[in-house]
Amino acid sequence: MSPRDIEQQTFDIISCFFEEEQNPVCNRKVYGGIESDGPGDDDGFDPVVIADKLRELGDDFDVKFIQPHIRKLQQAVADKAVEEFARTVDSLCAAQRAEVAPEMQLLRASVALGLYVKKTCPDLRATIQSCMTAFINTRLAGWITQQGGWDQVTMV
């Protein structure tokens, strides 16, 4: 088999791998059902079957190796986002003259930052929600408890 034939087969396989429904070579329904090559066929090449096997290999590798790393990466990104949220709140508080208790100032700044991001960057809503929760639980939970809970804090 020539290198050009391999290149064409590779193209067909990868096309089926990524675009199963859109690619006529891969969509058996469009062409009246391309059947797998049978024993009577000369080369036995079927890009759909090979693409399916490659997907199985990829899925197996994904479950065993990639997903654990992705979870670590997602956690690192989340941790970094929480750290940056806290730094931003601290910076906002430092830029203002304190008119209220430092904890209330932190709460106001975190709420204002959260609302701003929610309104202007809706795609970050889940991230900012997690950041706000972590920030408040880490930095303000004790103070909120001392005030008698959220009902009392919101009255201040």
Side-chain angles (χ1 to χ4, degrees):
M1 180 170 287
S2 76
R4 187 173 300 278
D5 290 339
I6 293 295
E7 289 174 4
Q8 182 59 49
Q9 286 182 347
T10 301
F11 177 81
D12 292 344
I13 292 165
I14 301 304
S15 293
C16 292
F17 183 83
F18 281 102
E19 303 175 23
E20 188 170 5
E21 296 302 317
Q22 291 81 20
N23 189 325
V25 171
C26 304
N27 190 344
R28 296 172 193 242
K29 297 173 192 166
V30 170
Y31 286 95
I34 296 173
E35 295 297 323
S36 294
D37 291 338
D41 293 326
D42 291 339
D43 64 3
F45 174 73
D46 186 340
V48 176
V49 171
I50 296 170
D52 287 344
K53 295 286 185 193
L54 290 177
R55 260 188 228 97
E56 289 173 17
L57 284 173
D59 288 344
D60 182 56
F61 191 83
D62 178 49
V63 168
K64 289 180 181 173
F65 300 104
I66 294 176
Q67 286 303 316
H69 290 287
I70 294 298
R71 284 190 287 278
K72 289 177 187 175
L73 180 60
Q74 288 170 327
Q75 185 59 52
V77 169
D79 292 346
K80 197 69 170 167
V82 169
E83 291 171 18
E84 190 57 38
F85 184 87
R87 269 195 293 279
T88 303
V89 170
D90 288 337
S91 178
L92 291 169
C93 289
Q96 298 177 11
R97 211 179 74 221
E99 299 172 2
V100 294
E103 295 85 2
M104 181 54 81
Q105 191 174 1
L106 287 172
L107 182 60
R108 285 182 179 176
S110 65
V111 169
L113 179 59
L115 285 174
Y116 179 80
V117 173
K118 176 186 164 194
K119 290 176 186 174
T120 60
C121 306
D123 54 318
L124 293 177
R125 181 181 178 149
T127 301
I128 222 56
Q129 185 175 341
S130 295
C131 291
M132 265 184 82
T133 301
F135 178 81
I136 292 170
N137 284 336
T138 302
R139 301 273 298 270
L140 297 171
W143 177 75
I144 293 167
T145 301
Q146 288 174 348
Q147 302 308 306
W150 277 104
D151 290 337
Q152 298 306 311
V153 170
T154 56
M155 302 304 277
V156 175

